[in-house]
Amino acid sequence: LSQKTDAVISQVTHSSGSSVPIGRSASLSRQEQSDLTGGAFLIGNSQQVIEEGTYNICFDKPVSTQDVVVMMEPALEMRVKITVNGKEITDKSELQNTHEGDKVSISAKIYEMGTDNEISSDLLPPGTTYTIAISEDGKVVKKSDGKVMELKDYELKKKPTKIEAAVTITGFNPITYTAEFTPADRAIVYSIEPGFGGDKQSIKYDGIASNQDMTLTFTVSADGVKMTDKAAVEALNPKIEFSDSSKGNSGTMVVRNDGVIEVTPKSAAKSAEEFYDVEVTCTLPVKTGDVVAKQTYRVFIANYNVLTLPVNGSVRKNEFYGNAAGVSFYVTKDGKKLDKSMVEGKIRAINLNKDGVYKHLKTNVTVENDGTITIVP
């Protein structure tokens, strides 16, 4: 900055002999006041670092050193990291997607401009100040001072909010970062509970096309409360995906009147294996991020049947101790009875009455060499 002269800078050279460009120049004057003359000049580029060393600044006519002021800006920049609910945002415009109740954390570091060289606060002059602050409605509600620039887990309110970070070196303009936004209403937290529509958790390959009984269920809750409104669940646009769908696994999806999402497998992929598992994924593409639940059912390629043998004897309630009366079954695969080695250890569940009222009773399960399974309460 120059005063009381219309002299302009003609050349700037570095001690290495290289010239430095003059980024901008402006002559300043006021016709009615001849003594109000001067100039403003930008040496170099404000977005790039110039070399350390000695600079020779030449004017096109003599000037007084008393009429020249040189201002310098440290070649430093601040980089700010902001996370919302633990997830880093890549653009501060994403703060407009925040909600009341979200937790925001902020940290900042100083770097040599245009590089990844972090500058230790110990290298900055004494008296340098460091600040991170969050304001709501123009009032500071949380602040962090100190060389470690960090502010953790502030819970946002539904108010106009400003995040400010600043490093101030005495004698220079502060290095600053500012972001302003207003969080929306508190976000609803959705969850999905997977299950089955009945006792069946598997299906035969040759019976899947006409299947009506083996269903999977996905129950949606909002803030921990089960959603029972069919239209409200449908409005969430639930998506269903079958594993290996390109090979033939598929089914239908409906939202029942009680709000439960029901999936009915209707086709299956061919396989050389005796059975395989299919994973069904239910996704709610809500604004706060996809909510996902998975459930798995089994497809039996071979035709298995569980057959009951005649019941022998009965037992009184007060005779359970030492009881030997029970029920026997055997399993066939494609019409052939399976022996002990094929069935032992593969029984998935034993239910005493469909409604499970006798599930507290202990049972003794044995498998004979010929594959006969006997269950004795």
Side-chain angles (χ1 to χ4, degrees):
L1 302 172
S2 62
Q3 300 179 71
K4 299 179 183 180
T5 177
D6 60 358
V8 297
I9 296 176
S10 59
Q11 186 181 38
V12 180
T13 57
H14 183 254
S15 52
S16 65
S18 62
S19 61
V20 181
I22 301 170
R24 289 194 300 273
S25 64
S27 296
L28 310 174
S29 64
R30 188 168 183 173
Q31 290 182 347
E32 56 268 34
Q33 290 180 275
S34 59
D35 60 332
L36 291 181
T37 60
F41 310 89
L42 173 66
I43 298 172
N45 184 327
S46 62
Q47 301 302 312
Q48 293 179 351
V49 177
I50 60 176
E51 295 179 77
E52 62 180 345
T54 301
Y55 286 86
N56 294 309
I57 302 172
C58 299
F59 288 84
D60 65 348
K61 60 181 66 175
V63 297
S64 170
T65 56
Q66 295 179 345
D67 296 333
V68 177
V69 176
V70 178
M71 301 179 67
M72 293 173 290
E73 179 182 357
L76 303 175
E77 61 182 345
M78 180 165 54
R79 298 178 192 174
V80 176
K81 177 181 177 180
I82 298 177
T83 64
V84 177
N85 298 328
K87 182 180 180 181
E88 184 177 358
I89 64 171
T90 56
D91 190 306
K92 64 182 179 181
S93 65
E94 295 178 45
L95 290 168
Q96 299 295 343
N97 299 325
T98 56
H99 294 79
E100 180 184 13
D102 286 347
K103 288 188 177 181
V104 62
S105 296
I106 307 139
S107 62
K109 294 181 179 180
I110 298 296
Y111 290 82
E112 181 182 341
M113 186 180 292
T115 74
D116 290 326
N117 298 328
E118 183 180 346
I119 302 298
S120 169
S121 56
D122 295 335
L123 297 177
L124 299 181
T128 300
T129 61
Y130 310 82
T131 303
I132 293 180
I134 297 179
S135 302
E136 293 173 349
D137 286 331
K139 298 180 180 180
V140 175
V141 292
K142 190 164 186 178
K143 188 176 181 180
S144 171
D145 294 313
K147 292 183 177 182
V148 178
M149 299 184 70
E150 191 171 57
L151 189 154
K152 287 187 176 182
D153 291 336
Y154 180 74
E155 187 171 308
L156 297 174
K157 312 296 188 297
K158 189 185 175 184
K159 296 180 179 181
T161 303
K162 179 188 285 188
I163 294 174
E164 295 177 285
V167 173
T168 305
I169 302 172
T170 304
F172 299 100
N173 283 333
I175 305 169
T176 61
Y177 173 95
T178 303
E180 297 185 59
F181 59 101
T182 300
D185 288 326
R186 183 179 296 274
I188 297 173
V189 178
Y190 293 98
S191 59
I192 308 173
E193 179 66 30
F196 287 93
D199 294 332
K200 292 187 176 181
Q201 300 181 16
S202 62
I203 194 166
K204 297 176 182 178
Y205 175 80
D206 58 1
I208 196 168
S210 59
N211 171 45
Q212 297 292 335
D213 300 324
M214 201 284 283
T215 61
L216 299 87
T217 58
F218 296 93
T219 303
V220 181
S221 294
D223 290 334
V225 179
K226 178 182 175 181
M227 296 181 65
T228 58
D229 186 329
K230 175 182 178 180
V233 175
E234 288 178 332
L236 296 175
N237 196 25
K239 305 292 185 184
I240 294 296
E241 183 179 0
F242 287 72
S243 61
D244 288 330
S245 58
S246 61
K247 298 179 181 179
N249 294 321
S250 67
T252 60
M253 182 200 79
V254 297
V255 180
R256 300 189 322 215
N257 290 333
D258 62 358
V260 174
I261 301 168
E262 186 175 77
V263 177
T264 305
K266 284 293 184 180
S267 67
K270 292 182 179 180
S271 175
E273 303 294 329
E274 291 189 358
F275 62 85
Y276 62 88
D277 293 329
V278 179
E279 185 177 75
V280 178
T281 303
C282 178
T283 303
L284 300 179
V286 294
K287 290 182 179 180
T288 53
D290 289 350
V291 180
V292 179
K294 301 175 185 291
Q295 186 63 286
T296 300
Y297 65 91
R298 179 162 289 183
V299 176
F300 286 97
I301 302 300
N303 186 15
Y304 289 88
N305 281 294
V306 180
L307 303 174
T308 308
L309 292 170
V311 178
N312 294 318
S314 59
V315 61
R316 294 180 183 273
K317 184 176 180 180
N318 60 357
E319 295 176 347
F320 271 119
Y321 183 77
N323 171 52
V327 182
S328 296
F329 305 86
Y330 65 95
V331 182
T332 64
K333 172 188 173 184
D334 295 331
K336 295 181 179 180
K337 185 177 180 180
L338 301 181
D339 62 19
K340 181 177 181 177
S341 65
M342 297 294 293
V343 299
E344 190 172 39
K346 298 179 181 178
I347 300 171
R348 298 185 64 180
I350 296 173
N351 296 314
L352 302 181
N353 277 27
K354 185 175 181 180
D355 55 12
V357 296
Y358 298 122
K359 63 182 180 182
H360 62 285
L361 296 179
K362 295 181 179 179
T363 57
N364 181 43
V365 181
T366 59
V367 181
E368 303 296 331
N369 290 332
D370 65 355
T372 300
I373 303 166
T374 301
I375 301 168
V376 176

